[in-house]
Amino acid sequence: MREFKWSPEQYAKLQPLKLVDYIVVHHTANADVPVEMVDQWHKNRGWAGVGYHYVVRRNGDIERGRPEHMQGAHVIGHNDHSLGVALGGDFTKYVPPEAQLSAAVKLVRDLLMRYPKAKLARHRDLQSTSCPGDAFPWDKFTEAVSRKEDDKVRLIIKGKPIDVDVRLINGRVYAPVRDLFAALTYQVSWDEKGRTVRVE
């Protein structure tokens, strides 16, 4: 995940996030552009910088905007208690591609696991706007976010898949200790993109 680099002057203007009641989905209502361009658009509006916490690109890349512990600038009246996730594009005109939707599903699912009291909402659910656009497949998106079978994680030890019940729960990988005891002397790594634990 690529992170936006805040200047000290920009960062000093941000306010701490109070809590997370909502994960809010947006579209940029414009072209699919890097987070730096979104930052410029938002500075042109007089904001400190990019107002979304995450920007999901058409190819599935995720770019971090506002730090997660800081208030965003994405929903008037709700910025102090929500996280903003924007998909790059204008979904009043077309449906987001599958790679972009899939990446957004994984990101939102992870956020909801880390903030279990938060509700998933569209920008339009909280403010008078059409965002994220009428072509955005909201029902398909929310169904995919709530699907539980994707919580299962593959475990690979020295290139060999191991058949144990490993799960991603609240942003952490869990597995039965007994099944992994023999692997404790090895280096363990987590591949988020492939949802794979590797033990070398």
Side-chain angles (χ1 to χ4, degrees):
M1 183 181 303
R2 196 166 68 81
E3 296 201 20
F4 176 71
K5 304 296 183 194
W6 290 84
S7 70
E9 296 78 19
Q10 275 184 292
Y11 192 83
K13 297 176 182 177
L14 302 182
Q15 298 293 320
L17 189 64
K18 293 180 180 177
L19 68 162
V20 180
D21 287 329
Y22 293 100
I23 309 297
V24 185
V25 176
H26 302 260
H27 67 163
T28 60
N30 211 309
D32 174 45
V33 296
V35 68
E36 290 81 7
M37 180 63 73
V38 178
D39 176 69
Q40 192 57 56
W41 293 343
H42 288 182
K43 282 193 293 192
N44 290 345
R45 294 184 179 185
W47 303 349
V50 56
Y52 308 121
H53 294 88
Y54 296 94
V55 175
V56 183
R57 306 292 304 281
R58 285 179 62 81
N59 66 0
D61 287 349
I62 298 172
E63 300 176 352
R64 192 187 304 269
R66 292 264 170 138
E68 215 170 276
H69 63 283
M70 292 296 193
Q71 290 183 31
H74 59 101
V75 183
I76 294 172
H78 298 279
N79 288 318
D80 63 346
H81 60 112
S82 66
L83 295 175
V85 174
L87 284 73
D90 184 350
F91 307 130
T92 64
K93 299 178 179 178
Y94 54 85
V95 176
E98 199 57 43
Q100 188 176 32
L101 276 175
S102 178
V105 164
K106 289 179 182 178
L107 171 61
V108 168
R109 187 186 289 130
D110 178 65
L111 290 172
L112 288 169
M113 283 191 295
R114 290 192 285 119
Y115 301 97
K117 294 183 180 178
K119 296 176 183 174
L120 181 59
R122 297 169 292 185
H123 186 185
R124 72 197 303 168
D125 297 327
L126 302 173
Q127 193 175 345
S128 180
T129 175
S130 64
C131 181
D134 291 340
F136 188 91
W138 183 248
D139 290 343
K140 174 184 174 183
F141 181 78
T142 55
E143 191 275 329
V145 167
S146 64
R147 205 176 300 135
K148 295 300 181 191
E149 62 266 23
D150 290 341
D151 292 344
K152 188 160 184 181
V153 174
R154 290 187 306 143
L155 174 63
I156 297 175
I157 298 179
K158 291 198 166 278
K160 180 182 175 185
I162 305 298
D163 187 22
V164 295
D165 188 23
V166 183
R167 297 280 171 173
L168 181 66
I169 302 170
N170 293 330
R172 295 176 183 268
V173 177
Y174 292 90
V177 174
R178 184 175 8 193
D179 295 343
L180 296 177
F181 186 78
L184 290 177
T185 58
Y186 295 93
Q187 184 178 10
V188 179
S189 62
W190 163 244
D191 173 10
E192 173 65 31
K193 191 168 185 179
R195 294 179 67 79
T196 302
V197 175
R198 292 188 183 275
V199 181
E200 306 291 348

